[in-house]
Amino acid sequence: MASCIREILIITTPRDQPAFQSLLGDGGRWGLDLTFAVQDQPRGLADAYRIGADFVDGGPSALILGDNLFYGHEAGRVFARAADTLDARRGAVVFAYRVSDPRRYGVVELDGQGRPLSIEEKPDDPRSPWAVTGLYIYDGQAPELAARLQPSARGELEITDLNRAYLEQGRLGSSVWAAASPGWTPAPPTACWTPPPSCAPWSSARASRSPAPKRSPGAWVGSTPPSWPAWPKASAARLRGLSAGGRER
C-alpha cells in the first residue's frame, strides 16, 4: 500500500491460487485491482515476466517476492524515490540491504557512487555485504529480456540473470535501504510461522551493524547519484506490480 501501486498481478502455483483468490478477492476492499495467474512449474522468478507480459503491457513495473516483507515509516518514500529514477524505457533498480552473511542471498557489488559493478547469486566468496532484496523495479523491456534468458543449471530463469542483463547494458541502478528506518524480512520456510515478537524477525537481515555510508533513507551510496542521463520521472503510482513465489533472491 505504501508503494501507491494499485494494479497487482499475483502469480501462484495451481494448488494455491484458489486460497489466494478466496482470501484476497479482487482487492477492492483495499482500493486495489488484483488479478491472478499461475506458474504451473517452478521455472524461476524471471518467468514472472513471461507470465505477466500482457499485464505489464510495455510499461514500468515492480516485482516483489511473496515471502519478503518491507516496512517502516520510510519504506514508501524509499520505494517512490527509486521509482522516480526511471520511466518505461530506462532500466531497472534493485534494492540493497547490508547483511551479516551475504552468502545466503544474491549480492550486488557497488562502487563509491552507488553504481552496481557486479551481481551474483549466493556466492561462496561475496564481493560485498549488500544483499539484493526481493523487490525490483523494471522498465518496459523486462519481458523482452526475460524471454531471452536461458535456464540455469537448476532449470529456472533466474532473477539474477535478468538483473545482470540490465547491468551489462549499463542500465541497472541500486537503491540502499538505510539500516535506521525501513525493515526487510526475507522469511525462510522454517521461520514463516514463527510469531515475531515486536516485529523482531527483521533482525535476521539486520544482524550486521557495521557502519554504512552516511545518507538519507533510500539515498544512493556515495555522495551523488550515478551520472546517468536525465530521465523523465515516473511516479510509483504509474507502476504495475507483480508478486511471485519466494524461492530465490
Side-chain angles (χ1 to χ4, degrees):
M1 295 295 289
S3 70
C4 298
I5 293 176
R6 296 293 177 261
E7 295 177 77
I8 302 173
L9 175 65
I10 299 175
I11 302 172
T12 72
T13 65
R15 181 191 66 183
D16 294 332
Q17 188 179 86
F20 276 94
Q21 290 175 320
S22 176
L23 176 66
L24 302 175
D26 63 3
R29 74 186 88 170
W30 303 291
L32 303 176
D33 180 5
L34 302 181
T35 54
F36 296 84
V38 163
Q39 186 186 54
D40 54 5
Q41 298 291 332
R43 286 186 293 266
L45 288 175
D47 189 51
Y49 279 99
R50 180 192 65 82
I51 296 169
D54 290 341
F55 174 81
V56 172
D57 194 26
S61 62
L63 171 66
I64 186 169
L65 278 63
D67 65 357
N68 274 227
L69 302 177
F70 297 86
Y71 51 91
H73 67 281
E74 290 286 349
R77 188 178 304 175
V78 171
F79 182 84
R81 286 176 181 172
D84 281 345
T85 66
L86 75 163
D87 68 5
R89 303 178 305 280
R90 296 287 186 172
V93 177
V94 296
F95 293 84
Y97 201 105
R98 184 184 288 270
V99 296
S100 59
D101 185 6
R103 293 173 300 176
R104 298 171 51 204
Y105 306 95
V107 173
V108 60
E109 179 188 11
L110 305 174
D111 69 12
Q113 299 299 315
R115 298 182 182 92
L117 297 174
S118 67
I119 189 166
E120 50 190 343
E121 183 66 23
K122 298 182 178 66
D124 292 331
D125 185 17
R127 298 180 182 180
S128 88
W130 297 107
V132 178
T133 68
L135 176 63
Y136 319 87
I137 302 178
Y138 296 107
D139 65 10
Q141 197 181 4
E144 177 185 347
L145 291 177
R148 299 176 189 171
L149 297 179
Q150 297 298 314
S152 66
R154 61 176 181 170
E156 299 189 6
L157 302 181
E158 309 288 354
I159 198 69
T160 296
D161 289 341
L162 178 59
N163 293 331
R164 190 177 292 115
Y166 278 99
L167 177 63
E168 290 171 354
Q169 294 180 355
R171 300 194 304 123
L172 182 67
S174 175
S175 185
V176 172
W177 293 98
S181 285
W184 170 49
T185 300
T190 56
C192 280
W193 304 110
T194 302
S198 302
C199 293
W202 49 301
S203 61
S204 63
R206 298 174 62 140
S208 173
R209 290 294 183 179
S210 52
K214 292 184 180 297
R215 60 194 176 276
S216 60
W220 296 80
V221 175
S223 57
T224 59
S227 55
W228 293 348
W231 295 349
K233 287 191 174 182
S235 71
R238 288 178 50 198
L239 296 174
R240 292 184 173 182
L242 294 84
S243 177
R247 294 183 53 195
E248 166 202 5
R249 264 172 289 280

